[in-house]
Amino acid sequence: MEITARAGLERSTFDGEPTWVLTHPDGARLVVAETGATVLSWQAPGADGQLVELLDGYASAAELAEEDGYRNALLVPWSNRIRDARYRFAGVSHDLGPARDGSREALHGLVTGVRFARAQMSVRDSDLAVRLVASVAPDEHEGYPYSLDVAVSYALGVGSEGESRLGLELTATNTGDAPAPVTLGWHPYLRLPGHDTVDGLELTVPARSRVVTDESKIPPAGEAAFAGETTPVRFAPLGSSVLDQAFTDLVPDDDGVVATVLRSPRTGESLTVEQEPFQARVVHVFTGDTLRRAPRASVAVEPCGLLTDAFNRADSAEALTLAPGEQRQLVSDIVYRHG
């Protein structure tokens, strides 16, 4: 597909929040907030050619600031939780301190409230992409005395069979002079047209194991964290299932990617989250039951590099450590097929 003058990148605002709006020549539209480089909206042509909303983003700047549900957030330099907001790395103990609400969950990293700057727009074949950059400095975050450069590229594209794609390429570079603990994740909330709740949707996760957790949603040490599953794990339909569950021991498809599928049996439409198994060893699924607005209207399907509390896990130590000058990357695509 030839990129036309219709496509492009525009500066805009959302409820007073500065945004970037990326438009593909097929009409697909992506809105990204400066804060956290958080996707607020992804619209793509549906079966009738009209644009449909495929991600459940924040509805206001106040919601974005509150971070309820971490809707479509980038998770850097960790995903999910760190037990009691404390960890030990390279023989040194660190305390991340309490969250704004006083809890000590240490949820979802350090960049959700950071302002990202645009670096560039790029065109490649049928893809149109925007790249945003930010940094993590040792004096900005209690308990994380490391320096990182963070870059994210979002790409809109169309596949060979007409499917719409939203691509993510998230990169963290250790710019300090000592090893740093780094693992990456993404927290997109998927929604399908014509479904007010997720109850009637089918979910398929290509995993051989689920992650066992305690009442604090922290997995135990070692092999006790894993329980076997028959692959693929299927919920057909989701019905009243309440999920805040991680899966691992992921099974790639014939193309070598892990594909988690949310599908409407009524319309045949589907959203597939693809992740590279060597980059993202975990997929976390959340049915949004505790969201303050619109609970169970969408399903979060989260590609994550490592398990919850990886900063405190001996079995994650090697994969967690990022040497000075090295990069860590997470690549994921969401693919929309409209029957």
Side-chain angles (χ1 to χ4, degrees):
M1 178 184 296
E2 181 181 355
I3 297 294
T4 70
R6 175 185 169 193
L9 182 69
E10 296 178 346
R11 201 80 168 94
S12 188
T13 60
F14 162 77
D15 194 23
E17 166 70 25
T19 60
W20 295 99
V21 180
L22 188 68
T23 304
H24 192 270
D26 77 340
R29 184 172 182 268
L30 183 74
V31 182
V32 183
E34 269 191 3
T35 299
T38 306
V39 174
L40 301 175
S41 171
W42 173 38
Q43 296 177 316
D48 60 359
Q50 300 299 307
L51 291 182
V52 293
E53 182 61 61
L54 299 169
L55 292 182
D56 192 2
Y58 292 114
S60 67
E63 273 196 358
L64 175 63
E66 292 166 359
E67 300 180 345
D68 179 47
Y70 292 85
R71 295 174 186 257
N72 308 326
L74 302 178
L75 314 180
V76 183
W78 71 85
S79 60
N80 297 302
R81 293 164 169 79
I82 295 176
R83 185 188 290 277
D84 298 327
R86 295 183 177 93
Y87 67 98
R88 188 172 177 83
F89 183 75
V92 179
S93 295
H94 300 281
D95 188 340
L96 293 160
R100 287 176 298 183
D101 62 2
S103 67
R104 296 193 60 92
E105 290 186 309
L107 277 173
H108 293 323
L110 300 173
V111 304
T112 54
V114 171
R115 291 278 180 182
F116 278 68
R118 193 197 93 175
Q120 64 188 53
M121 186 182 76
S122 62
V123 178
R124 187 177 63 186
D125 299 327
S126 68
D127 287 359
L128 188 65
V130 58
R131 184 172 183 265
L132 306 170
V133 296
S135 62
V136 174
D139 57 350
E140 293 176 346
H141 303 284
E142 181 181 359
Y144 193 83
Y146 308 100
S147 298
L148 303 177
D149 280 350
V150 182
V152 59
S153 292
Y154 293 110
L156 295 176
V158 179
S160 60
E161 298 179 356
E163 69 274 19
S164 296
R165 285 184 171 266
L166 169 60
L168 168 97
E169 185 177 290
L170 177 61
T171 304
T173 304
N174 183 351
T175 55
D177 55 7
V182 178
T183 182
L184 307 178
W186 189 29
H187 208 300
Y189 281 80
L190 314 184
R191 61 188 305 173
L192 282 169
H195 290 268
D196 294 331
T197 73
V198 303
D199 297 11
L201 301 178
E202 299 175 344
L203 180 70
T204 304
V205 185
R208 296 190 185 96
S209 300
R210 61 181 169 84
V211 180
V212 178
T213 59
D214 62 18
E215 64 279 359
S216 300
K217 300 181 181 178
I218 301 291
E223 291 300 313
F226 309 106
E229 290 279 356
T230 300
T231 187
V233 179
R234 295 198 69 217
F235 300 87
L238 277 164
S240 59
S241 298
V242 175
L243 299 177
D244 192 355
Q245 177 67 62
F247 298 91
T248 190
D249 195 10
L250 304 176
V251 182
D253 63 15
D254 292 342
D255 294 322
V257 298
V258 173
T260 300
V261 182
L262 184 70
R263 180 181 179 275
S264 168
R266 175 164 55 82
T267 67
E269 293 176 293
S270 66
L271 286 164
T272 301
V273 176
E274 298 178 345
Q275 62 195 79
E276 299 288 341
F278 62 92
Q279 292 179 341
R281 306 179 188 185
V282 175
V283 58
H284 194 105
V285 177
F286 175 48
T287 44
D289 303 83
T290 58
L291 294 175
R292 287 196 287 270
R293 178 182 57 79
R296 295 188 69 83
S298 56
V299 178
V301 177
E302 311 159 35
C304 298
L306 297 172
L307 265 63
T308 295
D309 201 33
F311 277 32
N312 288 310
R313 294 188 63 86
D315 56 7
S316 296
E318 183 177 354
L320 185 71
T321 301
L322 188 65
E326 289 190 346
Q327 293 185 336
R328 181 146 296 144
Q329 193 170 68
L330 175 70
V331 175
S332 179
D333 283 354
I334 305 178
V335 182
Y336 170 55
R337 297 180 174 89
H338 46 69

mmCIF file with all atom_site columns, all heavy atoms in Angstrom, residues 320-335:
data_model
loop_
_atom_site.group_PDB
_atom_site.id
_atom_site.type_symbol
_atom_site.label_atom_id
_atom_site.label_alt_id
_atom_site.label_comp_id
_atom_site.label_asym_id
_atom_site.label_entity_id
_atom_site.label_seq_id
_atom_site.pdbx_PDB_ins_code
_atom_site.Cartn_x
_atom_site.Cartn_y
_atom_site.Cartn_z
_atom_site.occupancy
_atom_site.B_iso_or_equiv
_atom_site.pdbx_formal_charge
_atom_site.auth_seq_id
_atom_site.auth_comp_id
_atom_site.auth_asym_id
_atom_site.auth_atom_id
_atom_site.pdbx_PDB_model_num
ATOM 1   N N   . LEU A 1 320 ? 17.067 -10.788 34.275 1.00 0.00 ? 320 LEU A N   1
ATOM 2   C CA  . LEU A 1 320 ? 16.723 -9.444  34.729 1.00 0.00 ? 320 LEU A CA  1
ATOM 3   C C   . LEU A 1 320 ? 17.869 -8.455  34.545 1.00 0.00 ? 320 LEU A C   1
ATOM 4   O O   . LEU A 1 320 ? 17.654 -7.271  34.272 1.00 0.00 ? 320 LEU A O   1
ATOM 5   C CB  . LEU A 1 320 ? 16.342 -9.506  36.205 1.00 0.00 ? 320 LEU A CB  1
ATOM 6   C CG  . LEU A 1 320 ? 15.832 -8.241  36.882 1.00 0.00 ? 320 LEU A CG  1
ATOM 7   C CD1 . LEU A 1 320 ? 14.446 -7.900  36.389 1.00 0.00 ? 320 LEU A CD1 1
ATOM 8   C CD2 . LEU A 1 320 ? 15.822 -8.427  38.397 1.00 0.00 ? 320 LEU A CD2 1
ATOM 9   N N   . THR A 1 321 ? 19.091 -8.918  34.649 1.00 0.00 ? 321 THR A N   1
ATOM 10  C CA  . THR A 1 321 ? 20.252 -8.039  34.706 1.00 0.00 ? 321 THR A CA  1
ATOM 11  C C   . THR A 1 321 ? 20.597 -7.478  33.327 1.00 0.00 ? 321 THR A C   1
ATOM 12  O O   . THR A 1 321 ? 20.784 -8.215  32.366 1.00 0.00 ? 321 THR A O   1
ATOM 13  C CB  . THR A 1 321 ? 21.466 -8.795  35.275 1.00 0.00 ? 321 THR A CB  1
ATOM 14  O OG1 . THR A 1 321 ? 21.134 -9.272  36.582 1.00 0.00 ? 321 THR A OG1 1
ATOM 15  C CG2 . THR A 1 321 ? 22.673 -7.897  35.359 1.00 0.00 ? 321 THR A CG2 1
ATOM 16  N N   . LEU A 1 322 ? 20.680 -6.142  33.255 1.00 0.00 ? 322 LEU A N   1
ATOM 17  C CA  . LEU A 1 322 ? 21.027 -5.445  32.018 1.00 0.00 ? 322 LEU A CA  1
ATOM 18  C C   . LEU A 1 322 ? 22.344 -4.702  32.241 1.00 0.00 ? 322 LEU A C   1
ATOM 19  O O   . LEU A 1 322 ? 22.437 -3.803  33.077 1.00 0.00 ? 322 LEU A O   1
ATOM 20  C CB  . LEU A 1 322 ? 19.920 -4.472  31.628 1.00 0.00 ? 322 LEU A CB  1
ATOM 21  C CG  . LEU A 1 322 ? 20.047 -3.805  30.255 1.00 0.00 ? 322 LEU A CG  1
ATOM 22  C CD1 . LEU A 1 322 ? 19.941 -4.844  29.135 1.00 0.00 ? 322 LEU A CD1 1
ATOM 23  C CD2 . LEU A 1 322 ? 18.969 -2.741  30.079 1.00 0.00 ? 322 LEU A CD2 1
ATOM 24  N N   . ALA A 1 323 ? 23.370 -5.086  31.496 1.00 0.00 ? 323 ALA A N   1
ATOM 25  C CA  . ALA A 1 323 ? 24.701 -4.512  31.666 1.00 0.00 ? 323 ALA A CA  1
ATOM 26  C C   . ALA A 1 323 ? 24.756 -3.095  31.093 1.00 0.00 ? 323 ALA A C   1
ATOM 27  O O   . ALA A 1 323 ? 23.936 -2.722  30.236 1.00 0.00 ? 323 ALA A O   1
ATOM 28  C CB  . ALA A 1 323 ? 25.733 -5.392  30.982 1.00 0.00 ? 323 ALA A CB  1
ATOM 29  N N   . PRO A 1 324 ? 25.716 -2.282  31.533 1.00 0.00 ? 324 PRO A N   1
ATOM 30  C CA  . PRO A 1 324 ? 25.863 -0.938  30.983 1.00 0.00 ? 324 PRO A CA  1
ATOM 31  C C   . PRO A 1 324 ? 26.015 -0.968  29.458 1.00 0.00 ? 324 PRO A C   1
ATOM 32  O O   . PRO A 1 324 ? 26.749 -1.783  28.914 1.00 0.00 ? 324 PRO A O   1
ATOM 33  C CB  . PRO A 1 324 ? 27.152 -0.430  31.655 1.00 0.00 ? 324 PRO A CB  1
ATOM 34  C CG  . PRO A 1 324 ? 27.226 -1.188  32.934 1.00 0.00 ? 324 PRO A CG  1
ATOM 35  C CD  . PRO A 1 324 ? 26.687 -2.554  32.618 1.00 0.00 ? 324 PRO A CD  1
ATOM 36  N N   . GLY A 1 325 ? 25.274 -0.085  28.806 1.00 0.00 ? 325 GLY A N   1
ATOM 37  C CA  . GLY A 1 325 ? 25.322 0.003   27.348 1.00 0.00 ? 325 GLY A CA  1
ATOM 38  C C   . GLY A 1 325 ? 24.439 -0.981  26.617 1.00 0.00 ? 325 GLY A C   1
ATOM 39  O O   . GLY A 1 325 ? 24.228 -0.854  25.409 1.00 0.00 ? 325 GLY A O   1
ATOM 40  N N   . GLU A 1 326 ? 23.891 -1.971  27.328 1.00 0.00 ? 326 GLU A N   1
ATOM 41  C CA  . GLU A 1 326 ? 23.049 -2.973  26.680 1.00 0.00 ? 326 GLU A CA  1
ATOM 42  C C   . GLU A 1 326 ? 21.593 -2.516  26.611 1.00 0.00 ? 326 GLU A C   1
ATOM 43  O O   . GLU A 1 326 ? 21.155 -1.642  27.373 1.00 0.00 ? 326 GLU A O   1
ATOM 44  C CB  . GLU A 1 326 ? 23.141 -4.314  27.408 1.00 0.00 ? 326 GLU A CB  1
ATOM 45  C CG  . GLU A 1 326 ? 24.474 -5.015  27.225 1.00 0.00 ? 326 GLU A CG  1
ATOM 46  C CD  . GLU A 1 326 ? 24.452 -6.439  27.749 1.00 0.00 ? 326 GLU A CD  1
ATOM 47  O OE1 . GLU A 1 326 ? 23.504 -6.793  28.495 1.00 0.00 ? 326 GLU A OE1 1
ATOM 48  O OE2 . GLU A 1 326 ? 25.396 -7.191  27.425 1.00 0.00 ? 326 GLU A OE2 1
ATOM 49  N N   . GLN A 1 327 ? 20.861 -3.155  25.684 1.00 0.00 ? 327 GLN A N   1
ATOM 50  C CA  . GLN A 1 327 ? 19.445 -2.852  25.489 1.00 0.00 ? 327 GLN A CA  1
ATOM 51  C C   . GLN A 1 327 ? 18.587 -4.075  25.782 1.00 0.00 ? 327 GLN A C   1
ATOM 52  O O   . GLN A 1 327 ? 19.026 -5.212  25.625 1.00 0.00 ? 327 GLN A O   1
ATOM 53  C CB  . GLN A 1 327 ? 19.180 -2.419  24.047 1.00 0.00 ? 327 GLN A CB  1
ATOM 54  C CG  . GLN A 1 327 ? 19.794 -1.097  23.665 1.00 0.00 ? 327 GLN A CG  1
ATOM 55  C CD  . GLN A 1 327 ? 19.380 -0.682  22.263 1.00 0.00 ? 327 GLN A CD  1
ATOM 56  O OE1 . GLN A 1 327 ? 19.022 -1.502  21.425 1.00 0.00 ? 327 GLN A OE1 1
ATOM 57  N NE2 . GLN A 1 327 ? 19.413 0.631   22.008 1.00 0.00 ? 327 GLN A NE2 1
ATOM 58  N N   . ARG A 1 328 ? 17.369 -3.817  26.208 1.00 0.00 ? 328 ARG A N   1
ATOM 59  C CA  . ARG A 1 328 ? 16.353 -4.857  26.340 1.00 0.00 ? 328 ARG A CA  1
ATOM 60  C C   . ARG A 1 328 ? 15.132 -4.410  25.559 1.00 0.00 ? 328 ARG A C   1
ATOM 61  O O   . ARG A 1 328 ? 14.765 -3.239  25.588 1.00 0.00 ? 328 ARG A O   1
ATOM 62  C CB  . ARG A 1 328 ? 16.019 -5.094  27.812 1.00 0.00 ? 328 ARG A CB  1
ATOM 63  C CG  . ARG A 1 328 ? 14.981 -6.195  28.048 1.00 0.00 ? 328 ARG A CG  1
ATOM 64  C CD  . ARG A 1 328 ? 15.262 -6.930  29.333 1.00 0.00 ? 328 ARG A CD  1
ATOM 65  N NE  . ARG A 1 328 ? 16.528 -7.634  29.281 1.00 0.00 ? 328 ARG A NE  1
ATOM 66  C CZ  . ARG A 1 328 ? 17.364 -7.766  30.322 1.00 0.00 ? 328 ARG A CZ  1
ATOM 67  N NH1 . ARG A 1 328 ? 17.048 -7.230  31.481 1.00 0.00 ? 328 ARG A NH1 1
ATOM 68  N NH2 . ARG A 1 328 ? 18.496 -8.438  30.188 1.00 0.00 ? 328 ARG A NH2 1
ATOM 69  N N   . GLN A 1 329 ? 14.485 -5.354  24.870 1.00 0.00 ? 329 GLN A N   1
ATOM 70  C CA  . GLN A 1 329 ? 13.403 -4.984  23.957 1.00 0.00 ? 329 GLN A CA  1
ATOM 71  C C   . GLN A 1 329 ? 12.189 -5.872  24.150 1.00 0.00 ? 329 GLN A C   1
ATOM 72  O O   . GLN A 1 329 ? 12.287 -7.049  24.514 1.00 0.00 ? 329 GLN A O   1
ATOM 73  C CB  . GLN A 1 329 ? 13.896 -5.086  22.508 1.00 0.00 ? 329 GLN A CB  1
ATOM 74  C CG  . GLN A 1 329 ? 12.990 -4.434  21.488 1.00 0.00 ? 329 GLN A CG  1
ATOM 75  C CD  . GLN A 1 329 ? 13.661 -4.364  20.123 1.00 0.00 ? 329 GLN A CD  1
ATOM 76  O OE1 . GLN A 1 329 ? 13.889 -5.377  19.479 1.00 0.00 ? 329 GLN A OE1 1
ATOM 77  N NE2 . GLN A 1 329 ? 13.987 -3.155  19.682 1.00 0.00 ? 329 GLN A NE2 1
ATOM 78  N N   . LEU A 1 330 ? 11.025 -5.283  23.909 1.00 0.00 ? 330 LEU A N   1
ATOM 79  C CA  . LEU A 1 330 ? 9.757  -6.012  23.868 1.00 0.00 ? 330 LEU A CA  1
ATOM 80  C C   . LEU A 1 330 ? 9.040  -5.613  22.588 1.00 0.00 ? 330 LEU A C   1
ATOM 81  O O   . LEU A 1 330 ? 8.789  -4.427  22.354 1.00 0.00 ? 330 LEU A O   1
ATOM 82  C CB  . LEU A 1 330 ? 8.894  -5.665  25.082 1.00 0.00 ? 330 LEU A CB  1
ATOM 83  C CG  . LEU A 1 330 ? 7.486  -6.273  25.111 1.00 0.00 ? 330 LEU A CG  1
ATOM 84  C CD1 . LEU A 1 330 ? 7.561  -7.775  25.328 1.00 0.00 ? 330 LEU A CD1 1
ATOM 85  C CD2 . LEU A 1 330 ? 6.645  -5.629  26.198 1.00 0.00 ? 330 LEU A CD2 1
ATOM 86  N N   . VAL A 1 331 ? 8.763  -6.591  21.745 1.00 0.00 ? 331 VAL A N   1
ATOM 87  C CA  . VAL A 1 331 ? 8.039  -6.363  20.492 1.00 0.00 ? 331 VAL A CA  1
ATOM 88  C C   . VAL A 1 331 ? 6.714  -7.104  20.575 1.00 0.00 ? 331 VAL A C   1
ATOM 89  O O   . VAL A 1 331 ? 6.669  -8.287  20.933 1.00 0.00 ? 331 VAL A O   1
ATOM 90  C CB  . VAL A 1 331 ? 8.849  -6.844  19.276 1.00 0.00 ? 331 VAL A CB  1
ATOM 91  C CG1 . VAL A 1 331 ? 8.031  -6.723  17.999 1.00 0.00 ? 331 VAL A CG1 1
ATOM 92  C CG2 . VAL A 1 331 ? 10.153 -6.061  19.154 1.00 0.00 ? 331 VAL A CG2 1
ATOM 93  N N   . SER A 1 332 ? 5.636  -6.400  20.255 1.00 0.00 ? 332 SER A N   1
ATOM 94  C CA  . SER A 1 332 ? 4.312  -7.016  20.297 1.00 0.00 ? 332 SER A CA  1
ATOM 95  C C   . SER A 1 332 ? 3.436  -6.378  19.228 1.00 0.00 ? 332 SER A C   1
ATOM 96  O O   . SER A 1 332 ? 3.553  -5.176  18.947 1.00 0.00 ? 332 SER A O   1
ATOM 97  C CB  . SER A 1 332 ? 3.680  -6.818  21.681 1.00 0.00 ? 332 SER A CB  1
ATOM 98  O OG  . SER A 1 332 ? 2.381  -7.377  21.741 1.00 0.00 ? 332 SER A OG  1
ATOM 99  N N   . ASP A 1 333 ? 2.574  -7.176  18.615 1.00 0.00 ? 333 ASP A N   1
ATOM 100 C CA  . ASP A 1 333 ? 1.575  -6.687  17.664 1.00 0.00 ? 333 ASP A CA  1
ATOM 101 C C   . ASP A 1 333 ? 0.187  -7.070  18.156 1.00 0.00 ? 333 ASP A C   1
ATOM 102 O O   . ASP A 1 333 ? 0.000  -8.157  18.734 1.00 0.00 ? 333 ASP A O   1
ATOM 103 C CB  . ASP A 1 333 ? 1.770  -7.306  16.278 1.00 0.00 ? 333 ASP A CB  1
ATOM 104 C CG  . ASP A 1 333 ? 2.915  -6.693  15.504 1.00 0.00 ? 333 ASP A CG  1
ATOM 105 O OD1 . ASP A 1 333 ? 3.485  -5.699  15.990 1.00 0.00 ? 333 ASP A OD1 1
ATOM 106 O OD2 . ASP A 1 333 ? 3.243  -7.213  14.425 1.00 0.00 ? 333 ASP A OD2 1
ATOM 107 N N   . ILE A 1 334 ? -0.766 -6.180  17.928 1.00 0.00 ? 334 ILE A N   1
ATOM 108 C CA  . ILE A 1 334 ? -2.188 -6.534  18.099 1.00 0.00 ? 334 ILE A CA  1
ATOM 109 C C   . ILE A 1 334 ? -2.804 -6.544  16.708 1.00 0.00 ? 334 ILE A C   1
ATOM 110 O O   . ILE A 1 334 ? -2.701 -5.565  15.955 1.00 0.00 ? 334 ILE A O   1
ATOM 111 C CB  . ILE A 1 334 ? -2.925 -5.553  19.008 1.00 0.00 ? 334 ILE A CB  1
ATOM 112 C CG1 . ILE A 1 334 ? -2.218 -5.423  20.357 1.00 0.00 ? 334 ILE A CG1 1
ATOM 113 C CG2 . ILE A 1 334 ? -4.364 -6.008  19.216 1.00 0.00 ? 334 ILE A CG2 1
ATOM 114 C CD1 . ILE A 1 334 ? -2.870 -4.421  21.293 1.00 0.00 ? 334 ILE A CD1 1
ATOM 115 N N   . VAL A 1 335 ? -3.432 -7.643  16.357 1.00 0.00 ? 335 VAL A N   1
ATOM 116 C CA  . VAL A 1 335 ? -3.967 -7.852  15.016 1.00 0.00 ? 335 VAL A CA  1
ATOM 117 C C   . VAL A 1 335 ? -5.487 -7.931  15.089 1.00 0.00 ? 335 VAL A C   1
ATOM 118 O O   . VAL A 1 335 ? -6.050 -8.723  15.868 1.00 0.00 ? 335 VAL A O   1
ATOM 119 C CB  . VAL A 1 335 ? -3.419 -9.146  14.389 1.00 0.00 ? 335 VAL A CB  1
ATOM 120 C CG1 . VAL A 1 335 ? -3.939 -9.316  12.971 1.00 0.00 ? 335 VAL A CG1 1
ATOM 121 C CG2 . VAL A 1 335 ? -1.896 -9.143  14.421 1.00 0.00 ? 335 VAL A CG2 1
#
